Amino acid sequence: FLFTKMRHQFRLCLASMATAGAFAFNSGGELPAGRMDTRLYESLQANNLPSRRTFLFSAVAAVGLAGAETAIAQPEQKSKARLGGMPNTIRSVGNVMDELQRDLMQEQWDLVVAYPAQLRSFVPVFTKFTDSAFPTDESTDKGLRVALRYEVGRFFASVERLRQATLRKDLDDAYVAYSDMSLHFDRYMQVGGLYTYYDDIISNEMYFKGIKPSSLVYADPKKDPPDVRDLVILVKGPDMGRTGIMIGKDGSNNVYVKLDRFKGMRPIRVVSKAWVGKRLGEQDPDDVFLIPRKGNSPKA
């Protein structure tokens, strides 16, 4: 029960801040939605524990403590009959994203061009799940619906960017689009309670205290920084020691990392490039490259 409570409080935090980002975008405020989104994710990934706690508590306060208690009981009380197979259908988008990553990183443009239409076919499912999972007029459900719609909007805006980049065969822009797609889909999964597990560890760094830095083998991020497609390890921050693949850059000092699969999920992290080291030695390929192709087009 405690983990369930913490999980839903976390989702409320994401929802309230994503809602703020959506309002900033719609109202034409000083902070564009993209920047609000980046700052939210950076706040969640910050290595300063007190500031992370401040962020979480302030986000819960933004929704309202009374509403938080109501939302804590939410998806467990949702009718399975109402949601049906929608959660698994939305999770299957992750499989499509894996295949897209494989084909994009291998520059199979004739295959990549088919993915935008395939992904757009999921729009009705996203819409129905958002309205069915959080159907009431309570402030918490309203906030979660706004947050989920915001993430869906950002996701499909990036799908369109991918489509245009694919027509130009612009690999760098396609990587940017794919990275944003991955981030917003991952955020939707978290806010919607669609992850298959709950990670209650705030930071891995505590486990590396007293351990020699040489225990993590990686190239110096300053002398030999990783690039898109490189297998990497996070060498600082709350996810220290976790491995994955670099899928993009955001044009500043941050990079996108798709962590290795755990219980079917592949979380996305946006972190400082100084926190990411290229793995050295013989490594197994990222598991997307082991997915077999069926025919000459993406799997339907």
Side-chain angles (χ1 to χ4, degrees):
F1 173 78
L2 178 59
F3 285 172
T4 299
K5 183 173 180 179
M6 292 173 65
R7 178 172 66 249
H8 291 294
Q9 286 178 326
F10 178 70
R11 285 166 50 214
L12 282 169
C13 297
L14 286 174
S16 62
M17 296 301 289
T19 300
F23 289 157
F25 178 76
N26 292 330
S27 63
E30 296 181 1
L31 187 63
R35 287 296 299 155
M36 175 68 76
D37 181 73
T38 301
R39 290 184 184 182
L40 165 59
Y41 209 87
E42 288 173 351
S43 297
L44 289 175
Q45 302 306 319
N47 191 31
N48 187 306
L49 182 56
S51 67
R52 285 173 56 125
R53 284 177 175 161
T54 300
F55 169 82
L56 293 172
F57 293 152
S58 63
V60 170
V63 205
L65 292 177
E69 288 301 322
T70 302
I72 285 167
Q74 284 299 324
E76 280 69 26
Q77 296 177 358
K78 301 302 179 186
S79 168
K80 290 185 178 180
R82 181 171 64 238
L83 296 180
M86 286 187 290
N88 285 334
T89 300
I90 293 175
R91 290 186 189 107
S92 74
V93 174
N95 299 331
V96 178
M97 294 291 288
D98 287 342
E99 294 180 358
L100 170 56
Q101 177 194 332
R102 174 201 62 197
D103 293 339
L104 178 60
M105 289 186 171
Q106 293 180 342
E107 299 184 48
Q108 298 287 336
W109 296 110
D110 57 325
L111 300 180
V112 174
V113 72
Y115 283 98
Q118 185 184 6
L119 289 167
R120 281 195 296 269
S121 71
F122 287 94
V123 169
V125 183
F126 280 107
T127 301
K128 188 174 181 180
F129 175 82
T130 298
D131 294 337
S132 298
F134 308 100
T136 74
D137 290 329
E138 295 175 0
S139 60
T140 49
D141 272 18
K142 286 182 178 179
L144 287 165
R145 287 198 300 271
V146 170
L148 290 171
R149 288 167 185 160
Y150 172 70
E151 297 304 337
V152 167
R154 300 285 291 171
F155 175 78
F156 284 106
S158 299
V159 169
E160 174 59 21
R161 182 172 183 173
L162 174 71
R163 187 188 70 83
Q164 295 181 14
T166 300
L167 294 176
R168 301 191 308 270
K169 296 186 178 180
D170 185 334
L171 187 60
D172 289 340
D173 200 40
Y175 282 149
V176 172
Y178 178 77
S179 299
D180 283 339
M181 289 165 59
S182 299
L183 175 61
H184 292 293
F185 175 66
D186 186 63
R187 290 267 304 282
Y188 185 96
M189 294 279 287
Q190 292 189 43
V191 175
L194 293 167
Y195 256 59
T196 58
Y197 68 95
Y198 173 65
D199 185 359
D200 62 322
I201 297 176
I202 295 176
S203 176
N204 287 345
E205 285 191 309
M206 66 182 78
Y207 300 119
F208 288 89
K209 289 182 179 180
I211 297 178
K212 294 181 180 179
S214 59
S215 63
L216 297 179
V217 181
Y218 57 91
D220 187 324
K222 292 183 178 179
K223 296 180 180 178
D224 186 15
D227 204 346
V228 176
R229 290 194 57 179
D230 283 335
L231 298 175
V232 297
I233 184 169
L234 295 177
V235 300
K236 292 182 181 179
D239 291 294
M240 183 177 182
R242 299 189 68 175
T243 55
I245 185 171
M246 185 168 152
I247 59 173
K249 308 173 185 177
D250 73 353
S252 63
N253 287 324
N254 295 327
V255 297
Y256 294 72
V257 176
K258 186 175 183 178
L259 297 178
D260 286 341
R261 197 175 307 278
F262 179 69
K263 295 187 178 181
M265 301 287 104
R266 297 204 61 180
I268 306 300
R269 297 290 187 261
V270 182
V271 299
S272 167
K273 62 183 180 182
W275 290 12
V276 181
K278 186 191 304 184
R279 282 187 267 167
L280 299 176
E282 185 175 351
Q283 303 286 336
D284 291 331
D286 191 78
D287 69 8
V288 303
F289 298 110
L290 304 178
I291 302 173
R293 288 193 178 91
K294 294 183 179 181
N296 295 318
S297 61
K299 183 171 63 177

